[in-house]
């Protein structure tokens, strides 16, 4: 097969060459779409390809990727980002994949590692991601009777691992896009809604929560919304209210969650609330519940590092540091 490497870039002068050096000999075509660089990104790109296109940034990554994919001409399209690197071992695996991939495979997934470095939405360091796509799909009829066109793509989980090596967090950029999207009235998919919530809790500032508040209040009141997403909205509201000292709003939404969805995140919020008003005994109870009696639903550290640090702080305040340290030790080993 032949492969088009397709990238969208902006101000990636420092790392673009590192990425392309690791994959250039595997690709039959390299396409670079620049969304408005002000540094030497395009000059670096010219060392690898003459297929460089400008795309006026719309605030939507899908618009840019669709434009970039439209320029590909090979059998398959490899979607790469500038902060990715293919090491020597996985270069060999990619070469073997290219040599043996069955023609009927339409999507190849590759392991994506290094996600916790500057993480904004992930609780785990490695996952499969679709990275290689057949450019033109052949429609195939199936079944001997009552025949129909196969709709589901043929997906292959490869052993290739791509190392994600970002230089900084993209959280502020992502949250600005989320805010612009929701303020425009555009409805988020269930997947994107969940990512917005996780990105707020992992990478969001107090101002990001405040700016998002009206959107999540509307979501919590939406009777057609999935109950699980309503609970996520209530957690965002409760967290924002606690940050800004609105006790009435905090308890209005945290009690909704206690009745329906008592997760580690909910217990952590209560622990932080009582710690703030210096009721350390009550705070310890809720930090303990976050660590040992409930499970996380959004951010895995709510039952781990965050709960452990909370227990250490409040037991230090109560003059019993050894108790907090022992709990923290148990949390790390469970």
């Amino acid at each position: 097969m032949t492969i088009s490497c397709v990238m969208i870039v902006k101000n990636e002068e420092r790392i673009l060459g590192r990425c392309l050096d690791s994959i250039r000999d595997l690709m039959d075509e390299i396409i670079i779409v620049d969304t408005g660089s002000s540094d030497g990104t395009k000059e670096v790109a010219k060392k690898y390809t003459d297929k460089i296109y400008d795309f006026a940034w719309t605030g939507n990554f899908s618009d840019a990727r669709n434009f970039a994919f439209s320029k590909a001409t090979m059998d398959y399209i490899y979607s790469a980002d500038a902060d990715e690197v293919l090491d020597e071992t996985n270069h060999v695996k990619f070469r073997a994949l290219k040599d043996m991939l069955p023609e009927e495979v339409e999507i190849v997934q590759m392991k994506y590692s290094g996600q916790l470095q500057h993480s904004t939405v992930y609780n785990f360091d490695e996952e499969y991601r679709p990275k290689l796509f057949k450019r033109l799909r052949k429609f195939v009829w199936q079944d001997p009777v009552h025949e129909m066109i196969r709709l589901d793509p043929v997906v292959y989980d490869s052993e290739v691992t791509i190392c994600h090596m970002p230089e900084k967090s993209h959280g502020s950029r992502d949250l600005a896009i989320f805010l612009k999207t929701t303020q425009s009235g555009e409805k988020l998919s269930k997947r994107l809604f969940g990512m917005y919530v996780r990105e707020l809790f992992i990478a969001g500032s107090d101002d990001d929560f405040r700016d998002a508040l009206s959107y999540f209040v509307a979501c919590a009141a939406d009777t057609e919304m999935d109950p699980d997403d309503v609970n996520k909205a209530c957690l965002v509201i409760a967290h924002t209210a606690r940050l800004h000292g609105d006790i009435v709003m905090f308890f209005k939404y945290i009690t909704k969650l206690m009745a329906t969805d008592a997760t580690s995140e909910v217990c952590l919020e209560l622990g932080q609330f009582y710690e703030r008003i210096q009721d350390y005994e009550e705070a310890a109870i809720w930090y303990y519940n976050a660590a040992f009696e409930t499970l996380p639903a959004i951010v895995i550290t709510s039952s781990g590092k965050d709960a452990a640090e909370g227990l250490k702080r409040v037991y230090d305040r109560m003059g019993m540091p050894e108790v907090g340290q022992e709990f923290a030790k148990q949390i790390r080993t469970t």
Side-chain angles (χ1 to χ4, degrees):
M1 63 162 155
T2 57
I3 303 177
S4 299
C5 173
V6 171
M7 304 179 70
I8 59 171
V9 297
K10 181 180 180 181
N11 294 336
E12 303 290 7
E13 175 186 23
R14 287 168 48 85
I15 59 175
L16 179 58
R18 181 186 68 181
C19 172
L20 289 172
D21 283 339
S22 74
I23 59 173
R24 64 188 302 179
D25 63 308
L26 297 167
M27 304 298 152
D28 301 281
E29 175 180 63
I30 296 175
I31 294 166
I32 307 292
V33 172
D34 190 281
T35 62
S37 292
S38 57
D39 65 359
T41 295
K42 285 200 257 187
E43 284 65 36
V44 174
K46 288 175 184 176
K47 298 176 183 179
Y48 300 88
T49 182
D50 60 355
K51 297 181 178 180
I52 301 169
Y53 302 90
D54 289 310
F55 180 80
W57 179 242
T58 65
N60 186 317
F61 278 96
S62 290
D63 290 345
R65 290 204 189 275
N66 286 332
F67 174 80
F69 269 44
S70 74
K71 300 300 181 182
T73 63
M74 299 296 154
D75 301 330
Y76 283 80
I77 301 173
Y78 178 66
S79 179
D81 288 328
D83 57 6
E84 298 172 359
V85 174
L86 197 66
D87 64 22
E88 184 176 345
T89 298
N90 288 286
H91 188 280
V92 173
K93 291 179 179 179
F94 199 121
R95 172 68 68 186
L97 175 73
K98 185 176 181 180
D99 291 341
M100 57 70 66
L101 189 69
E103 184 181 355
E104 62 268 21
V105 172
E106 294 165 323
I107 296 175
V108 177
Q109 296 204 117
M110 299 178 182
K111 295 176 183 176
Y112 208 70
S113 70
Q115 292 189 140
L116 294 181
Q117 185 180 5
H118 300 304
S119 174
T120 60
V121 294
Y122 294 105
N123 290 312
F124 41 85
D125 201 49
E126 185 175 279
E127 70 165 349
Y128 267 120
R129 286 192 184 182
K131 294 293 292 181
L132 189 64
F133 308 86
K134 199 163 195 176
R135 186 172 63 88
L136 298 176
R137 185 178 185 187
K138 294 180 180 178
F139 290 99
V140 177
W141 289 91
Q142 62 183 13
D143 297 329
V145 67
H146 302 302
E147 67 281 2
M148 67 174 295
I149 291 290
R150 175 175 54 80
L151 301 178
D152 295 330
V154 178
V155 180
Y156 175 69
D157 292 342
S158 74
E159 290 302 314
V160 177
T161 299
I162 299 162
C163 185
H164 185 218
M165 300 176 63
E167 292 191 307
K168 61 182 180 180
S169 169
H170 298 301
S172 59
R173 176 203 68 187
D174 295 350
L175 289 166
I177 294 174
F178 276 121
L179 183 62
K180 180 181 177 182
T181 302
T182 56
Q183 287 182 338
S184 72
E186 185 174 340
K187 187 176 178 63
L188 299 181
S189 66
K190 183 175 178 62
R191 168 184 165 274
L192 205 56
F193 181 88
M195 294 187 81
Y196 190 11
V197 173
R198 284 201 307 277
E199 194 140 14
L200 279 169
F201 277 100
I202 293 175
S205 66
D206 290 4
D207 287 344
D208 290 322
F209 276 93
R210 183 201 60 216
D211 293 342
L213 180 61
S214 60
Y215 169 72
F216 284 100
V217 169
C219 290
D222 187 346
T223 57
E224 296 183 359
M225 200 156 192
D226 182 275
D228 180 59
D229 289 340
V230 170
N231 286 336
K232 287 184 173 70
C234 288
L235 184 64
V236 172
I237 298 166
H239 180 84
T240 309
R242 179 180 62 77
L243 290 177
H244 297 282
D246 190 334
I247 296 175
V248 173
M249 177 177 276
F250 174 75
F251 276 103
K252 175 181 178 179
Y253 286 93
I254 207 73
T255 51
K256 291 178 187 291
L257 291 167
M258 289 302 297
T260 61
D261 193 33
T263 64
S264 298
E265 289 87 355
V266 173
C267 295
L268 190 71
E269 288 293 332
L270 285 161
Q272 291 169 329
F273 172 81
Y274 284 110
E275 181 181 359
R276 184 172 181 175
I277 64 172
Q278 299 181 13
D279 187 342
Y280 300 123
E281 290 184 2
E282 190 68 18
I285 292 171
W286 289 108
Y287 284 135
Y288 180 92
N289 286 335
F292 299 106
E293 302 296 337
T294 53
L295 294 173
I298 299 170
V299 183
I300 199 168
T301 55
S302 60
S303 66
K305 176 178 68 71
D306 296 338
E309 291 177 353
L311 283 166
K312 287 174 66 176
R313 286 195 307 271
V314 296
Y315 276 105
D316 279 349
R317 294 283 188 169
M318 291 189 287
M320 296 181 286
E322 67 284 351
V323 177
Q325 291 169 5
E326 180 58 31
F327 277 134
K329 182 179 178 181
Q330 293 178 34
I331 292 168
R332 286 195 294 270
T333 57
T334 53

